[in-house]
Amino acid sequence: MNAKSDAQLPAVSVIMPVLDEERHLRGAVTAILAQEYDGEMEVVIALGPSKDRTDEIAAELVREDPRVHTVPNPTGRTPAALNAAIKASRHPIVVRVDGHGMLSPNYIATAVRLLEETGAQNVGGIMHAEGENDWEHAVAAAMTSKIGVGNAAFHTGGEAGAAETVYLGVFRREALEQQGGYNEEFIRAQDWELNFRIREAGGLIWFSPELMVSYRPRPSVKALAKQYKDYGRWRHVVARFHEGSINLRYLAPPTAVCAIAAGAVVGAVLTPWGFVVPGGYLAAIALGSVPAGKGLPLKARMQVPVALATMHMSWGWGFLTSPKSLAKKVIASRRPAVVRES
């Protein structure tokens, strides 16, 4: 921080939407409580209807540290959890953290400094995927490679600057309250939608590689496929919600799905030359997985192409099958950006 005294550091509320996070919740909260930040801090955990020991672990954390509190989130939906936690929190800086995210030691101090230096309403940084076994190492490598996620700065890094959206986010409470919090119709992509309203109202969203959150990848192919299908489904909703927000990076996975499917059909029905397309894709991800998996154990390196294909195909399928009715429902709930009167 700057040369400010501890008394001048703004108090911080950390909000966590949690559902079935027994594996990572204690570690995530421990990383928050151990932050190198001398200002006042509280942690508000919004508990969804978990089927594992998440609630039990949360209760232990509350007993162990008076800074930790919980609020119910009976719907289990992330935006509802975030709004409930915001309402139950009280400090001027609001830090969003997920139940499987691990803040770097100086994350909050750096974010508070960046808010002051840039005048931004929200700052965020890199989603640094880190695995705990061979499969998760493979997914982490795929999620931090350009062949996996394109040029998304919050995955692969980049220069600090204004951004459309950021991973998680550290907000000024006034910006959240001004916009009425998260739109609860956005089961996914709620961060993008809120940041869109903040930007539409004239606020600045700031990305900085100084901010890093360690992220635990999904533990199986099935879980990863569901995650990325949901990403694609809701990215199409965003595209319908806000015309002009789509670009070639987002169109690549659905285009690949269509091309591979068409090539397989042509190859099976008309000519073996049709298999050139799916074969070319498999060759591309096999080659691309070599630099992506550099430094990993052999078993993990062998799984990188599986992770890449799962991410691409699931995202593309989710995008292609996203129903227009879902977009219409979300568009009908659209909240206009609220501009503060001067």
Side-chain angles (χ1 to χ4, degrees), residues 225-243:
K226 182 181 185 305
Q227 177 188 16
Y228 271 77
K229 187 187 82 169
D230 287 345
Y231 282 171
R233 175 186 176 103
W234 282 92
R235 193 61 186 80
H236 204 163
V237 171
V238 168
R240 287 167 169 154
F241 175 84
H242 178 52
E243 294 181 6

PDB file of all heavy atoms in Angstrom, residues 225-243:
ATOM      1  N   ALA A 225     -16.958 -30.753 -19.097  1.00  0.00           N
ATOM      2  CA  ALA A 225     -17.859 -30.614 -20.238  1.00  0.00           C
ATOM      3  C   ALA A 225     -19.098 -29.811 -19.865  1.00  0.00           C
ATOM      4  O   ALA A 225     -19.542 -28.939 -20.618  1.00  0.00           O
ATOM      5  CB  ALA A 225     -18.263 -31.993 -20.756  1.00  0.00           C
ATOM      6  N   LYS A 226     -19.661 -30.076 -18.697  1.00  0.00           N
ATOM      7  CA  LYS A 226     -20.839 -29.326 -18.253  1.00  0.00           C
ATOM      8  C   LYS A 226     -20.494 -27.856 -18.049  1.00  0.00           C
ATOM      9  O   LYS A 226     -21.260 -26.963 -18.442  1.00  0.00           O
ATOM     10  CB  LYS A 226     -21.397 -29.905 -16.959  1.00  0.00           C
ATOM     11  CG  LYS A 226     -22.662 -29.191 -16.474  1.00  0.00           C
ATOM     12  CD  LYS A 226     -23.177 -29.754 -15.180  1.00  0.00           C
ATOM     13  CE  LYS A 226     -24.513 -29.102 -14.786  1.00  0.00           C
ATOM     14  NZ  LYS A 226     -24.427 -27.628 -14.712  1.00  0.00           N
ATOM     15  N   GLN A 227     -19.337 -27.598 -17.434  1.00  0.00           N
ATOM     16  CA  GLN A 227     -18.915 -26.220 -17.202  1.00  0.00           C
ATOM     17  C   GLN A 227     -18.816 -25.450 -18.511  1.00  0.00           C
ATOM     18  O   GLN A 227     -19.357 -24.337 -18.634  1.00  0.00           O
ATOM     19  CB  GLN A 227     -17.560 -26.209 -16.491  1.00  0.00           C
ATOM     20  CG  GLN A 227     -16.993 -24.822 -16.261  1.00  0.00           C
ATOM     21  CD  GLN A 227     -15.561 -24.858 -15.740  1.00  0.00           C
ATOM     22  OE1 GLN A 227     -14.878 -25.885 -15.822  1.00  0.00           O
ATOM     23  NE2 GLN A 227     -15.108 -23.750 -15.172  1.00  0.00           N
ATOM     24  N   TYR A 228     -18.166 -26.040 -19.503  1.00  0.00           N
ATOM     25  CA  TYR A 228     -17.946 -25.315 -20.750  1.00  0.00           C
ATOM     26  C   TYR A 228     -19.197 -25.285 -21.630  1.00  0.00           C
ATOM     27  O   TYR A 228     -19.392 -24.329 -22.393  1.00  0.00           O
ATOM     28  CB  TYR A 228     -16.730 -25.881 -21.491  1.00  0.00           C
ATOM     29  CG  TYR A 228     -15.476 -25.162 -21.048  1.00  0.00           C
ATOM     30  CD1 TYR A 228     -14.882 -25.462 -19.830  1.00  0.00           C
ATOM     31  CD2 TYR A 228     -14.940 -24.128 -21.794  1.00  0.00           C
ATOM     32  CE1 TYR A 228     -13.773 -24.776 -19.384  1.00  0.00           C
ATOM     33  CE2 TYR A 228     -13.819 -23.428 -21.357  1.00  0.00           C
ATOM     34  CZ  TYR A 228     -13.246 -23.757 -20.150  1.00  0.00           C
ATOM     35  OH  TYR A 228     -12.157 -23.053 -19.707  1.00  0.00           O
ATOM     36  N   LYS A 229     -20.065 -26.286 -21.513  1.00  0.00           N
ATOM     37  CA  LYS A 229     -21.345 -26.200 -22.218  1.00  0.00           C
ATOM     38  C   LYS A 229     -22.157 -25.028 -21.684  1.00  0.00           C
ATOM     39  O   LYS A 229     -22.760 -24.264 -22.447  1.00  0.00           O
ATOM     40  CB  LYS A 229     -22.135 -27.497 -22.057  1.00  0.00           C
ATOM     41  CG  LYS A 229     -23.405 -27.528 -22.918  1.00  0.00           C
ATOM     42  CD  LYS A 229     -24.256 -28.736 -22.627  1.00  0.00           C
ATOM     43  CE  LYS A 229     -25.109 -28.495 -21.396  1.00  0.00           C
ATOM     44  NZ  LYS A 229     -26.151 -29.529 -21.193  1.00  0.00           N
ATOM     45  N   ASP A 230     -22.145 -24.865 -20.355  1.00  0.00           N
ATOM     46  CA  ASP A 230     -22.847 -23.733 -19.747  1.00  0.00           C
ATOM     47  C   ASP A 230     -22.223 -22.408 -20.170  1.00  0.00           C
ATOM     48  O   ASP A 230     -22.933 -21.426 -20.426  1.00  0.00           O
ATOM     49  CB  ASP A 230     -22.832 -23.850 -18.227  1.00  0.00           C
ATOM     50  CG  ASP A 230     -23.769 -24.927 -17.709  1.00  0.00           C
ATOM     51  OD1 ASP A 230     -24.631 -25.393 -18.470  1.00  0.00           O
ATOM     52  OD2 ASP A 230     -23.623 -25.318 -16.531  1.00  0.00           O
ATOM     53  N   TYR A 231     -20.885 -22.363 -20.240  1.00  0.00           N
ATOM     54  CA  TYR A 231     -20.220 -21.141 -20.704  1.00  0.00           C
ATOM     55  C   TYR A 231     -20.698 -20.770 -22.102  1.00  0.00           C
ATOM     56  O   TYR A 231     -21.028 -19.611 -22.385  1.00  0.00           O
ATOM     57  CB  TYR A 231     -18.701 -21.345 -20.733  1.00  0.00           C
ATOM     58  CG  TYR A 231     -17.999 -21.277 -19.408  1.00  0.00           C
ATOM     59  CD1 TYR A 231     -16.652 -21.630 -19.306  1.00  0.00           C
ATOM     60  CD2 TYR A 231     -18.648 -20.878 -18.244  1.00  0.00           C
ATOM     61  CE1 TYR A 231     -15.984 -21.570 -18.089  1.00  0.00           C
ATOM     62  CE2 TYR A 231     -17.992 -20.825 -17.034  1.00  0.00           C
ATOM     63  CZ  TYR A 231     -16.658 -21.173 -16.959  1.00  0.00           C
ATOM     64  OH  TYR A 231     -15.987 -21.129 -15.757  1.00  0.00           O
ATOM     65  N   GLY A 232     -20.695 -21.743 -23.033  1.00  0.00           N
ATOM     66  CA  GLY A 232     -21.116 -21.467 -24.397  1.00  0.00           C
ATOM     67  C   GLY A 232     -22.568 -21.071 -24.483  1.00  0.00           C
ATOM     68  O   GLY A 232     -22.933 -20.136 -25.212  1.00  0.00           O
ATOM     69  N   ARG A 233     -23.417 -21.764 -23.731  1.00  0.00           N
ATOM     70  CA  ARG A 233     -24.856 -21.472 -23.717  1.00  0.00           C
ATOM     71  C   ARG A 233     -25.113 -20.037 -23.301  1.00  0.00           C
ATOM     72  O   ARG A 233     -25.876 -19.303 -23.940  1.00  0.00           O
ATOM     73  CB  ARG A 233     -25.524 -22.445 -22.742  1.00  0.00           C
ATOM     74  CG  ARG A 233     -27.007 -22.229 -22.498  1.00  0.00           C
ATOM     75  CD  ARG A 233     -27.462 -23.178 -21.390  1.00  0.00           C
ATOM     76  NE  ARG A 233     -28.846 -22.996 -21.010  1.00  0.00           N
ATOM     77  CZ  ARG A 233     -29.841 -23.791 -21.364  1.00  0.00           C
ATOM     78  NH1 ARG A 233     -29.601 -24.838 -22.136  1.00  0.00           N
ATOM     79  NH2 ARG A 233     -31.079 -23.568 -20.944  1.00  0.00           N
ATOM     80  N   TRP A 234     -24.434 -19.612 -22.235  1.00  0.00           N
ATOM     81  CA  TRP A 234     -24.686 -18.271 -21.713  1.00  0.00           C
ATOM     82  C   TRP A 234     -23.944 -17.196 -22.486  1.00  0.00           C
ATOM     83  O   TRP A 234     -24.375 -16.049 -22.516  1.00  0.00           O
ATOM     84  CB  TRP A 234     -24.370 -18.226 -20.220  1.00  0.00           C
ATOM     85  CG  TRP A 234     -25.498 -18.841 -19.460  1.00  0.00           C
ATOM     86  CD1 TRP A 234     -25.631 -20.154 -19.083  1.00  0.00           C
ATOM     87  CD2 TRP A 234     -26.701 -18.194 -19.054  1.00  0.00           C
ATOM     88  NE1 TRP A 234     -26.834 -20.350 -18.455  1.00  0.00           N
ATOM     89  CE2 TRP A 234     -27.513 -19.166 -18.425  1.00  0.00           C
ATOM     90  CE3 TRP A 234     -27.173 -16.889 -19.143  1.00  0.00           C
ATOM     91  CZ2 TRP A 234     -28.767 -18.866 -17.889  1.00  0.00           C
ATOM     92  CZ3 TRP A 234     -28.411 -16.583 -18.623  1.00  0.00           C
ATOM     93  CH2 TRP A 234     -29.201 -17.572 -18.000  1.00  0.00           C
ATOM     94  N   ARG A 235     -22.859 -17.561 -23.163  1.00  0.00           N
ATOM     95  CA  ARG A 235     -22.198 -16.552 -24.015  1.00  0.00           C
ATOM     96  C   ARG A 235     -23.087 -16.200 -25.201  1.00  0.00           C
ATOM     97  O   ARG A 235     -23.095 -15.060 -25.660  1.00  0.00           O
ATOM     98  CB  ARG A 235     -20.838 -17.055 -24.492  1.00  0.00           C
ATOM     99  CG  ARG A 235     -19.986 -15.940 -25.105  1.00  0.00           C
ATOM    100  CD  ARG A 235     -19.728 -14.866 -24.069  1.00  0.00           C
ATOM    101  NE  ARG A 235     -19.051 -13.678 -24.554  1.00  0.00           N
ATOM    102  CZ  ARG A 235     -19.629 -12.663 -25.211  1.00  0.00           C
ATOM    103  NH1 ARG A 235     -20.911 -12.698 -25.515  1.00  0.00           N
ATOM    104  NH2 ARG A 235     -18.933 -11.609 -25.559  1.00  0.00           N
ATOM    105  N   HIS A 236     -23.870 -17.164 -25.687  1.00  0.00           N
ATOM    106  CA  HIS A 236     -24.808 -16.863 -26.765  1.00  0.00           C
ATOM    107  C   HIS A 236     -25.932 -15.978 -26.247  1.00  0.00           C
ATOM    108  O   HIS A 236     -26.426 -15.094 -26.967  1.00  0.00           O
ATOM    109  CB  HIS A 236     -25.374 -18.162 -27.347  1.00  0.00           C
ATOM    110  CG  HIS A 236     -25.867 -18.000 -28.749  1.00  0.00           C
ATOM    111  ND1 HIS A 236     -26.098 -19.061 -29.598  1.00  0.00           N
ATOM    112  CD2 HIS A 236     -26.160 -16.881 -29.481  1.00  0.00           C
ATOM    113  CE1 HIS A 236     -26.523 -18.613 -30.768  1.00  0.00           C
ATOM    114  NE2 HIS A 236     -26.570 -17.295 -30.722  1.00  0.00           N
ATOM    115  N   VAL A 237     -26.354 -16.205 -25.003  1.00  0.00           N
ATOM    116  CA  VAL A 237     -27.347 -15.320 -24.399  1.00  0.00           C
ATOM    117  C   VAL A 237     -26.805 -13.885 -24.355  1.00  0.00           C
ATOM    118  O   VAL A 237     -27.511 -12.930 -24.688  1.00  0.00           O
ATOM    119  CB  VAL A 237     -27.719 -15.790 -22.972  1.00  0.00           C
ATOM    120  CG1 VAL A 237     -28.587 -14.747 -22.273  1.00  0.00           C
ATOM    121  CG2 VAL A 237     -28.460 -17.121 -23.037  1.00  0.00           C
ATOM    122  N   VAL A 238     -25.546 -13.739 -23.943  1.00  0.00           N
ATOM    123  CA  VAL A 238     -24.927 -12.422 -23.891  1.00  0.00           C
ATOM    124  C   VAL A 238     -24.897 -11.788 -25.281  1.00  0.00           C
ATOM    125  O   VAL A 238     -25.170 -10.595 -25.443  1.00  0.00           O
ATOM    126  CB  VAL A 238     -23.500 -12.514 -23.303  1.00  0.00           C
ATOM    127  CG1 VAL A 238     -22.745 -11.211 -23.524  1.00  0.00           C
ATOM    128  CG2 VAL A 238     -23.554 -12.848 -21.821  1.00  0.00           C
ATOM    129  N   ALA A 239     -24.564 -12.593 -26.294  1.00  0.00           N
ATOM    130  CA  ALA A 239     -24.491 -12.064 -27.660  1.00  0.00           C
ATOM    131  C   ALA A 239     -25.850 -11.561 -28.120  1.00  0.00           C
ATOM    132  O   ALA A 239     -25.954 -10.552 -28.831  1.00  0.00           O
ATOM    133  CB  ALA A 239     -23.979 -13.148 -28.600  1.00  0.00           C
ATOM    134  N   ARG A 240     -26.918 -12.264 -27.733  1.00  0.00           N
ATOM    135  CA  ARG A 240     -28.262 -11.821 -28.095  1.00  0.00           C
ATOM    136  C   ARG A 240     -28.704 -10.636 -27.246  1.00  0.00           C
ATOM    137  O   ARG A 240     -29.476  -9.792 -27.685  1.00  0.00           O
ATOM    138  CB  ARG A 240     -29.242 -12.991 -27.925  1.00  0.00           C
ATOM    139  CG  ARG A 240     -29.091 -14.052 -29.013  1.00  0.00           C
ATOM    140  CD  ARG A 240     -29.835 -15.324 -28.658  1.00  0.00           C
ATOM    141  NE  ARG A 240     -29.913 -16.228 -29.803  1.00  0.00           N
ATOM    142  CZ  ARG A 240     -30.031 -17.544 -29.701  1.00  0.00           C
ATOM    143  NH1 ARG A 240     -30.089 -18.122 -28.506  1.00  0.00           N
ATOM    144  NH2 ARG A 240     -30.093 -18.300 -30.782  1.00  0.00           N
ATOM    145  N   PHE A 241     -28.214 -10.611 -26.018  1.00  0.00           N
ATOM    146  CA  PHE A 241     -28.549  -9.535 -25.087  1.00  0.00           C
ATOM    147  C   PHE A 241     -27.903  -8.224 -25.504  1.00  0.00           C
ATOM    148  O   PHE A 241     -28.487  -7.155 -25.394  1.00  0.00           O
ATOM    149  CB  PHE A 241     -28.069  -9.949 -23.693  1.00  0.00           C
ATOM    150  CG  PHE A 241     -28.215  -8.905 -22.622  1.00  0.00           C
ATOM    151  CD1 PHE A 241     -29.419  -8.730 -21.948  1.00  0.00           C
ATOM    152  CD2 PHE A 241     -27.134  -8.120 -22.252  1.00  0.00           C
ATOM    153  CE1 PHE A 241     -29.543  -7.788 -20.944  1.00  0.00           C
ATOM    154  CE2 PHE A 241     -27.248  -7.175 -21.246  1.00  0.00           C
ATOM    155  CZ  PHE A 241     -28.459  -7.012 -20.596  1.00  0.00           C
ATOM    156  N   HIS A 242     -26.668  -8.328 -25.980  1.00  0.00           N
ATOM    157  CA  HIS A 242     -25.923  -7.120 -26.338  1.00  0.00           C
ATOM    158  C   HIS A 242     -25.293  -7.310 -27.711  1.00  0.00           C
ATOM    159  O   HIS A 242     -24.232  -7.911 -27.838  1.00  0.00           O
ATOM    160  CB  HIS A 242     -24.845  -6.841 -25.297  1.00  0.00           C
ATOM    161  CG  HIS A 242     -24.000  -5.643 -25.609  1.00  0.00           C
ATOM    162  ND1 HIS A 242     -24.523  -4.407 -25.899  1.00  0.00           N
ATOM    163  CD2 HIS A 242     -22.650  -5.496 -25.685  1.00  0.00           C
ATOM    164  CE1 HIS A 242     -23.549  -3.552 -26.137  1.00  0.00           C
ATOM    165  NE2 HIS A 242     -22.402  -4.193 -26.023  1.00  0.00           N
ATOM    166  N   GLU A 243     -25.954  -6.825 -28.745  1.00  0.00           N
ATOM    167  CA  GLU A 243     -25.443  -6.949 -30.103  1.00  0.00           C
ATOM    168  C   GLU A 243     -24.081  -6.270 -30.223  1.00  0.00           C
ATOM    169  O   GLU A 243     -23.862  -5.199 -29.684  1.00  0.00           O
ATOM    170  CB  GLU A 243     -26.426  -6.335 -31.096  1.00  0.00           C
ATOM    171  CG  GLU A 243     -27.755  -7.081 -31.187  1.00  0.00           C
ATOM    172  CD  GLU A 243     -28.683  -6.455 -32.207  1.00  0.00           C
ATOM    173  OE1 GLU A 243     -28.233  -5.518 -32.908  1.00  0.00           O
ATOM    174  OE2 GLU A 243     -29.842  -6.897 -32.304  1.00  0.00           O
TER     175      GLU A 243
END
